[in-house]
Amino acid sequence: MEAHISAQHWGRYGSVFLLFSAVLNTASAVTHYSIPEEMEEGSDVANLAADLGLDVKTLSKRRIRLDVIANKKYLDVNKETGQLYIAERIDRELICTAKTSTSCFLKMEAIVENPQRIFYIELEIMDINDNAPNFRRDTINLDISEATQAGERFSVNNAVDLDVGANSVKTYHLSDSDHFNIEIQTGRDGSKFADLILKKALDREQQAVHNLILTAVDGGVPTRSGTASITVRVLDTNDNAPKFDKDNYKIDIMENSPIGSLVVKLNATDLDEGTNSEILYSYSLYTSEKTQLTFDLNPNNGEITVKELINYEDFRIYDMEVIATDKGPNSLTGQCKLTILVTDMNDNHPEISIKSFQSPVKEVIAVDTVIAVVSVSDKDSGDNGIVDIRIADKLPFALRESSNNYYELVVSQPLDREKVPEYEITFTVTDRGSPPLSDNETMTLELLDVNDNVPQFPQSFYTIPVMENNAPGALLSSLTAFDPDLHENQYLVYFIIEKEIVNTSMSMLFSINPENGNLYALKTFDYEIEKEFLFHIEARDSGVPPLSSNVTVHIIIVDQNDNTPVIVSPWRAHGSVVEEKIPRSTDKGSLVSKVIAIDTDSVQNSRITYQFLQVTDATLFSLDQYNGEIRTMRMFSYRDPRHQRLVVIAKDNGDPALSATVTIKLSTVETAVKAYSDMTEVPLEYDIFSDLNVYLVIGLGSVSFLLLITILVTCVLKCQKPKLSKAAPPSRNSVISERNSTIADSTLVSNDAYWYSLFLAETRKGKLVVRQPVPKAGSRYIVSSLPRSTGLTETSDSAASTLQGSTTTGSSSS
């Protein structure tokens, strides 16, 4: 009997069918079952008790059991239910290792006791697709020459699948390739394998290695597959010539590059490999010998280096052809052309050449006149060969381009030899290289003098002080002029421009050395007569035409203290002792007398001071040192002597000082002197002389000035009327003024103090004041103020006699 039992298979294989076939054969008694492999443990196979005709209830009692196969108990019987179940996972490939048959059986015996019986069980293990195809090697390496023809066949390892039947390897697949495909073959045992076929010629230079994937696929459901990598390495043949990166090279190199410096490193490549790709470099026959001597080519690495010094000015372009040859059999070659352009280096200094130069030139040369022509050049090129020329900015010259690289030096400003006698003109040429180079050339331009400068005195006005009483021929000053011209234009001659003063020529008073300008006095000068001179001196050069200039000279006669003070009051007509009378009742501070002295020297030397030289009683009288007033310091007492003797000295301010003295004998009387009542006749007021010191200074200055004028006028009159000069010349102290007077009549004055007050007042008004004694009138005098219309000769005579006597008296008193 044969039965088919289907059973549910759980686990990773899903549902499976159990085919049970029971064959009851009295002769063999074999029970047959079919199950798939890999059923889960505990899965029921069949009800063995029912199939064997055993009572389920007696199974435990009869101790039913299955024998163990190879120490493994794959099946067991449930003694309660009689079910045959999977006790341990069954792997068909482990049980049935032989691939010769697709069938796999597991045979066992079931044994029961009481009574003992043996049942034969045959379990067929059916294959499932639980194994994927597998290649013996994961990577298959093939070496194929690139010269192999298309259609060539190459064997590869086949895949193995432990499954059998439909679950074993059924086909192969090859990854996409332009050069290969596969052809599937079937062996005698039905196994499948693939051959690799070259369908397109290989090119190692395009692709040196081909990586393929071979996939084996079984026939199970679902299908399983396995892969292997096929690495095809293309073997090289010398089928490629060396090739340079570029066919033509243009290389710039700086001139004067150091020997051994790298110019370029050529790179030729050969797509072949091994010795087929090893390259040697060499010059071709088209490369000139000069180029080969200048540049060195390394045959192994293609480096071109400088072999000799490169000069741009000698060669600017080098052409060469380089050949690259591989080392393969039947070697192949490639070539390239190189053009080496030498870049100019700014290694040449610009040059300047003086084509013409005019020197010396006159300082009056016209502006824009060409005085030099220069040319510039530079052996370099480009900016290195462009030359700029310049001169100093402060020079009165300019550069003007006349033609290509030719320049004219012209005068741009008027020249003046006296300011700059010669010029150092430096031409500086600079190229435009980086860094720039320069050179210079210096020439000296000398200027010729022309007489274009007048002589120049350091000052336009000279004030020369000359001390009076100088020696004739004394050097007064050196009036030297300067002429910046040269030679005869510089030689100067000095002249005094003639000018007459009171019929006297300047050349009679002064002399100048025509060569050096030393000024001399020809006479002795007297300050009291001549105080200053004003004239011009001319300096003239010797040029053609001559140029000249003049300067004003102011000679100032400086006073010397050569005049002794003259006491004019009190008057001393009757000797050196002046007698005065004063009442004994005179109050304290009363004016007793006033000593007045005059000095014809200058103001500084004529400043008079008064002092007591002798005094009878120093407590009785005081003397003002500036105005000469003698006043009482107290009233007279009965013990004071009736006669008082006062000696007064009048001293000037000169150095050394000169002086004069006067002796005054004062007699005291009991009553007032009648003469004082006569003062009512004088049309003057005393209060206007309150400050006699001021009047004294003014009077002395006026007297000195009028005295000088009088002497000059007298000299003129004497020269014009020599016949009338028999009379005695008037004294220089006699003439005080020649101006108009408002006092027409003479005034009677009896006191010296009042006489001098009147003298000062009238002198300030510009009158001629004289004093004459009145005959038979004792000490009374006539003071006259004469207008200008009064005859000078008469007045002078009378005045001279009057004052001369006073002077004599003062001198004797001294």
Side-chain angles (χ1 to χ4, degrees):
M1 179 181 65
E2 186 175 281
H4 295 277
I5 301 172
S6 62
Q8 180 105 21
H9 179 226
W10 297 272
R12 61 182 177 131
Y13 299 105
S15 299
V16 297
F17 295 97
L18 176 61
L19 177 61
F20 171 69
S21 177
V23 181
L24 297 178
N25 191 323
T26 58
S28 59
V30 176
T31 304
H32 182 82
Y33 296 100
S34 293
I35 62 171
E37 63 177 330
E38 303 293 342
M39 289 182 66
E40 294 182 1
E41 294 179 4
S43 300
D44 291 336
V45 177
N47 194 316
L48 182 62
D51 292 338
L52 295 180
L54 298 176
D55 185 4
V56 175
K57 295 177 181 180
T58 63
L59 291 180
S60 297
K61 186 182 297 184
R62 297 185 68 177
R63 288 194 257 176
I64 188 170
R65 62 182 182 278
L66 296 178
D67 58 354
V68 177
I69 303 173
N71 296 325
K72 286 190 177 183
K73 190 175 183 180
Y74 293 104
L75 299 175
D76 201 357
V77 178
N78 190 334
K79 297 177 181 179
E80 298 295 331
T81 61
Q83 287 289 338
L84 181 65
Y85 64 92
I86 303 297
E88 189 176 346
R89 188 180 68 84
I90 300 172
D91 186 356
R92 178 187 179 280
E93 289 73 31
L94 184 60
I95 297 173
C96 301
T97 57
K99 294 289 291 179
T100 57
S101 175
T102 60
S103 300
C104 179
F105 295 93
L106 184 61
K107 296 178 179 182
M108 64 187 70
E109 294 175 349
I111 302 171
V112 295
E113 296 179 357
N114 299 319
Q116 183 174 0
R117 291 187 63 182
I118 299 175
F119 299 94
Y120 296 100
I121 300 171
E122 184 179 73
L123 183 63
E124 183 180 7
I125 308 301
M126 300 178 62
D127 183 41
I128 64 173
N129 194 22
D130 59 344
N131 290 282
N134 183 39
F135 289 91
R136 294 185 180 91
R137 289 183 299 174
D138 292 336
T139 301
I140 303 170
N141 294 317
L142 294 177
D143 291 335
I144 303 175
S145 172
E146 62 178 330
T148 302
Q149 300 296 320
E152 190 72 24
R153 184 184 298 267
F154 303 94
S155 296
V156 295
N157 295 328
N158 61 323
V160 176
D161 195 335
L162 297 179
D163 295 326
V164 294
N167 294 328
S168 62
V169 176
K170 293 299 181 184
T171 186
Y172 291 89
H173 300 289
L174 184 66
S175 59
D176 292 339
S177 174
D178 294 335
H179 295 274
F180 296 94
N181 59 13
I182 59 173
E183 185 176 301
I184 300 172
Q185 303 291 331
T186 302
R188 293 180 181 180
D189 56 358
S191 61
K192 303 290 185 180
F193 59 89
D195 288 339
L196 186 65
I197 299 176
L198 179 65
K199 66 177 182 179
K200 183 180 179 181
L202 300 175
D203 190 344
R204 192 204 63 80
E205 290 70 34
Q206 291 183 358
Q207 189 173 354
V209 177
H210 295 264
N211 292 312
L212 307 175
I213 301 297
L214 180 62
T215 303
V217 182
D218 62 18
V221 178
T223 59
R224 292 177 177 270
S225 62
T227 61
S229 297
I230 301 176
T231 301
V232 178
R233 189 168 64 90
V234 182
L235 300 179
D236 182 51
T237 58
N238 193 21
D239 58 345
N240 289 279
K243 187 175 183 180
F244 287 92
D245 294 341
K246 294 188 292 185
D247 293 335
N248 294 281
Y249 289 84
K250 280 192 176 181
I251 301 167
D252 295 324
I253 185 172
M254 187 68 67
E255 69 169 325
N256 300 326
S257 294
I259 295 176
S261 60
L262 181 64
V263 178
V264 66
K265 180 177 172 55
L266 297 176
N267 183 39
T269 57
D270 193 322
L271 299 179
D272 296 325
E273 64 179 358
T275 57
N276 296 331
S277 63
E278 294 179 5
I279 297 174
L280 293 175
Y281 300 89
S282 61
Y283 286 121
S284 72
L285 297 177
Y286 298 104
T287 303
S288 66
E289 183 178 356
K290 172 63 178 176
T291 301
Q292 295 185 41
L293 291 175
T294 305
F295 299 98
D296 182 61
L297 174 61
N298 189 314
N300 295 318
N301 57 20
E303 289 184 352
I304 297 178
T305 56
V306 177
K307 190 176 181 180
E308 288 186 352
L309 184 65
I310 300 173
N311 191 353
Y312 173 85
E313 288 70 33
D314 294 338
F315 283 89
R316 301 185 181 184
I317 300 176
Y318 292 89
D319 291 316
M320 64 180 69
E321 186 178 67
V322 176
I323 297 176
T325 306
D326 63 27
K327 295 182 180 179
N330 301 320
S331 58
L332 302 177
T333 61
Q335 61 274 339
C336 69
K337 292 183 178 180
L338 287 86
T339 300
I340 298 178
L341 304 175
V342 180
T343 301
D344 183 33
M345 184 179 182
N346 196 21
D347 59 340
N348 290 282
H349 286 263
E351 297 177 355
I352 182 170
S353 176
I354 308 297
K355 299 301 181 182
S356 67
F357 177 56
Q358 180 183 356
S359 179
V361 296
K362 289 186 177 181
E363 61 176 323
V364 293
I365 187 172
V367 174
D368 212 35
T369 302
V370 177
I371 59 176
V373 177
V374 299
S375 66
V376 297
S377 61
D378 194 320
K379 294 180 181 180
D380 294 322
S381 64
D383 289 342
N384 298 332
I386 299 177
V387 179
D388 297 318
I389 184 172
R390 61 181 176 83
I391 58 175
D393 295 335
K394 296 182 180 179
L395 293 177
F397 305 100
L399 286 169
R400 183 174 62 195
E401 187 171 6
S402 59
S403 60
N404 188 24
N405 292 331
Y406 278 81
Y407 295 87
E408 295 175 342
L409 181 68
V410 298
V411 179
S412 61
Q413 299 175 20
L415 305 181
D416 189 348
R417 190 210 61 80
E418 288 69 36
K419 292 181 179 179
V420 183
E422 65 179 21
Y423 291 92
E424 295 289 334
I425 305 175
T426 300
F427 296 93
T428 302
V429 286
T430 306
D431 60 27
R432 299 184 184 179
S434 179
L437 299 178
S438 61
D439 198 0
N440 58 71
E441 183 77 21
T442 300
M443 62 184 189
T444 302
L445 177 65
E446 182 182 354
L447 299 183
L448 296 177
D449 182 52
V450 296
N451 193 25
D452 58 344
N453 289 277
V454 299
Q456 299 174 359
F457 285 92
Q459 303 171 222
S460 61
F461 189 89
Y462 285 87
T463 299
I464 304 175
V466 179
M467 189 68 68
E468 68 172 331
N469 303 320
N470 60 289
L475 175 65
L476 304 183
S477 180
S478 181
L479 307 178
T480 304
F482 171 72
D483 193 324
D485 292 324
L486 291 178
H487 309 307
E488 66 275 2
N489 299 329
Q490 187 185 37
Y491 300 146
L492 302 181
V493 179
Y494 300 90
F495 305 93
I496 295 178
I497 299 178
E498 288 296 337
K499 179 182 179 182
E500 291 190 357
I501 299 179
V502 195
N503 294 328
T504 300
S505 173
M506 264 312 148
S507 60
M508 298 177 63
L509 302 177
F510 303 97
S511 172
I512 191 168
N513 189 319
E515 295 182 354
N516 56 24
N518 289 343
L519 182 64
Y520 300 93
L522 298 180
K523 60 169 289 187
T524 300
F525 297 106
D526 189 347
Y527 172 82
E528 288 71 28
I529 298 176
E530 303 147 325
K531 289 184 171 56
E532 63 180 6
F533 298 95
L534 194 69
F535 56 93
H536 298 284
I537 290 179
E538 178 182 304
R540 182 184 305 162
D541 62 26
S542 302
V544 178
L547 300 177
S548 64
S549 65
N550 59 68
V551 67
T552 302
V553 179
H554 184 201
I555 303 293
I556 297 178
I557 307 301
V558 180
D559 181 44
Q560 269 188 337
N561 194 25
D562 59 345
N563 290 281
T564 304
V566 177
I567 297 177
V568 297
S569 177
W571 186 61
R572 297 174 294 176
H574 299 289
S576 61
V577 178
V578 177
E579 294 184 357
E580 299 282 354
K581 294 180 179 181
I582 60 172
R584 291 185 67 86
S585 60
T586 302
D587 294 332
K588 174 185 177 180
S590 299
L591 179 65
V592 175
S593 182
K594 184 177 179 70
V595 179
I596 301 175
I598 61 175
D599 193 324
T600 57
D601 291 323
S602 64
V603 174
Q604 185 68 22
N605 292 327
S606 65
R607 186 178 300 165
I608 307 295
T609 57
Y610 303 91
Q611 293 177 347
F612 278 130
L613 195 60
Q614 293 179 6
V615 60
T616 302
D617 189 348
T619 65
L620 186 56
F621 301 101
S622 66
L623 174 61
D624 191 306
Q625 64 173 337
Y626 296 112
N627 59 24
E629 292 180 351
I630 302 174
R631 295 182 181 273
T632 59
M633 295 176 62
R634 59 181 174 81
M635 295 185 65
F636 287 94
S637 69
Y638 69 92
R639 287 178 296 195
D640 292 328
R642 186 169 176 265
H643 299 284
Q644 299 284 335
R645 185 173 183 271
L646 308 176
V647 179
V648 178
I649 182 171
K651 186 184 299 183
D652 62 21
N653 197 40
D655 186 16
L658 301 179
S659 63
T661 62
V662 60
T663 302
I664 302 173
K665 182 178 181 182
L666 292 177
S667 300
T668 59
V669 296
E670 297 297 330
T671 60
V673 182
K674 183 181 178 180
Y676 284 96
S677 64
D678 294 338
M679 290 303 297
T680 57
E681 299 177 7
V682 181
L684 298 171
E685 294 183 6
Y686 180 73
D687 57 355
I688 67 174
F689 304 109
S690 59
D691 193 357
L692 292 178
N693 188 35
V694 177
Y695 295 144
L696 177 61
V697 174
I698 297 175
L700 292 176
S702 302
V703 168
S704 300
F705 178 76
L706 293 174
L707 180 62
L708 176 63
I709 298 299
T710 303
I711 293 174
L712 292 176
V713 172
T714 302
C715 293
V716 172
L717 293 177
K718 187 175 181 180
C719 294
Q720 291 179 350
K721 298 178 180 181
K723 293 181 180 181
L724 299 177
S725 62
K726 294 179 180 181
S731 173
R732 63 183 178 181
N733 295 325
S734 64
V735 179
I736 307 299
S737 174
E738 296 182 15
R739 299 180 183 176
N740 294 331
S741 174
T742 58
I743 300 178
D745 298 328
S746 299
T747 302
L748 182 63
V749 178
S750 61
N751 187 280
D752 286 336
Y754 290 104
W755 133 247
Y756 191 67
S757 300
L758 179 63
F759 168 78
L760 291 177
E762 294 304 304
T763 301
R764 291 179 63 201
K765 296 177 182 179
K767 303 177 180 61
L768 176 66
V769 181
V770 298
R771 183 172 78 162
Q772 289 179 312
V774 179
K776 300 179 181 181
S779 60
R780 304 178 68 182
Y781 312 98
I782 296 297
V783 178
S784 299
S785 177
L786 302 180
R788 182 179 179 84
S789 60
T790 304
L792 180 61
T793 304
E794 296 177 1
T795 304
S796 300
D797 292 341
S798 62
S801 63
T802 301
L803 296 181
Q804 186 65 39
S806 177
T807 304
T808 306
T809 302
S811 300
S812 63
S813 297
S814 303

